[in-house]
Amino acid sequence: MPGSPDTSTIDPAEIEKFQAMAAEWWDPAGKFKPLHMMNPVRLDYITAQIAAEHGRDLRAERPFAGLRILDIGCGGGLLSEPMARLGAEVVGADAAERNIPVARLHAEQSGLDIDYRHTTAEAMAAAGEKFDAVLNMEVVEHVSDPLAYLTACRRLLKPGGVMVCSTLNRNPKSYVMAIVGAEHVMRWLPKGTHQWSKFITPDELFDLLRGAGLEPVDRKGFVFNPVLWSWSISERDLSVNYVTTSVLPAETE
């Protein structure tokens, strides 16, 4: 049954890809260069959505103080660390064990207190963990059962909580840009990092989120401009990278 405590959505082959790249998380010119480049627009979107749903003023010194945030698939902590700086109590979780010591060391060097764990969404849900927000960025296209995985993520939210989930659209353009371009031409990522057949269209993701018991409220595109060599948020262009926000209704038990 999707979302049951003993369900595992971990794909060992996918985990091994990221295990091999673990030491390079904080190298802006390394294998995670695309994420470093995209991170500012990801953070702009994430912070705006969390602030809107939880009534926080981003102009405050620590606007997320009192909020408990989970960064699932945290990698080296590229999103966990900014959330901690904004005042949140942050748990970073990753199924790739080698990512955790990298993330812990960098947080320690940065003077940040972040609870990094080698675990899964399903295990945390079974343990009864609850969060005000879940960051679920570029993970769902790597799991074996997206509905079961998203159901586990929903179980991790407090009523009224918000989940920000990003992934890659599935169409010919995304194949050219994300696989041929990023992996073979630009060599930003090792060949085989992504499997195009596991990409998810925005409508499919909204259906999956609803099936998991969440209420989708927003979606935007992350668009790369090769002339300006920069990323931006788009209201209309969701053709390759895109992001969604969904909430767990406050009346949910």
Side-chain angles (χ1 to χ4, degrees):
M1 182 179 72
S4 61
D6 59 349
T7 299
S8 174
T9 61
I10 297 302
D11 184 330
E14 295 287 336
I15 296 302
E16 185 56 34
K17 295 175 188 176
F18 291 95
Q19 293 269 38
M21 297 186 284
E24 298 196 46
W25 271 105
W26 288 98
D27 179 0
K31 291 185 172 69
F32 293 103
K33 180 177 180 178
L35 283 183
H36 283 273
M37 293 174 64
M38 191 192 294
N39 222 34
V41 296
R42 294 200 305 171
L43 286 168
D44 284 349
Y45 182 86
I46 289 167
T47 55
Q49 293 298 316
I50 293 176
E53 294 298 333
H54 287 291
R56 300 304 177 100
D57 184 353
L58 289 174
R59 296 169 297 182
E61 184 177 353
R62 291 168 58 84
F64 292 168
L67 295 181
R68 191 167 192 245
I69 296 179
L70 170 65
D71 182 8
I72 190 75
C74 64
L78 299 188
L79 292 174
S80 294
E81 291 198 6
M83 295 301 107
R85 289 191 178 95
L86 290 169
E89 175 191 342
V90 179
V91 175
D94 205 297
E97 186 174 7
R98 293 179 199 167
N99 287 337
I100 299 304
V102 174
R104 285 176 178 161
L105 178 60
H106 197 273
E108 182 180 344
Q109 292 171 339
S110 303
L112 296 170
D113 183 13
I114 299 173
D115 181 2
Y116 283 116
R117 308 179 190 178
H118 172 226
T119 187
T120 64
E122 292 84 359
M124 296 183 74
E129 297 271 6
K130 296 291 181 183
F131 298 88
D132 298 289
V134 171
L135 310 186
N136 188 356
M137 312 296 283
E138 290 87 44
V139 178
V140 69
E141 73 270 22
H142 296 288
V143 302
S144 61
D145 186 337
L147 179 57
Y149 170 69
L150 292 171
T151 300
C153 291
R154 184 265 299 162
R155 294 173 59 218
L156 288 164
L157 282 173
K158 299 176 184 178
V162 57
M163 181 169 74
V164 181
C165 179
S166 66
T167 189
L168 287 149
N169 203 340
R170 188 182 67 258
N171 54 39
K173 182 178 179 180
S174 70
Y175 182 85
V176 171
M177 297 290 287
I179 295 181
V180 176
E183 296 184 13
H184 294 264
V185 179
M186 302 303 294
R187 298 184 180 178
W188 280 342
L189 295 168
K191 293 177 182 179
T193 297
H194 289 109
Q195 187 176 336
W196 183 78
S197 62
K198 297 179 77 170
F199 290 3
I200 301 170
T201 71
D203 287 344
E204 288 170 348
L205 183 55
F206 263 31
D207 286 343
L208 286 165
L209 291 167
R210 292 188 185 101
L214 292 160
E215 179 183 328
V217 295
D218 187 68
R219 61 186 182 188
K220 298 283 193 303
F222 291 148
V223 180
F224 182 68
N225 185 320
V227 177
L228 298 176
W229 209 249
S230 63
W231 289 86
S232 62
I233 298 174
S234 173
E235 294 276 350
R236 297 182 179 179
D237 188 352
L238 283 70
S239 57
V240 184
N241 297 83
Y242 70 96
V243 62
T244 67
T245 297
S246 54
V247 298
L248 182 64
E251 65 273 13
T252 302
E253 293 297 328

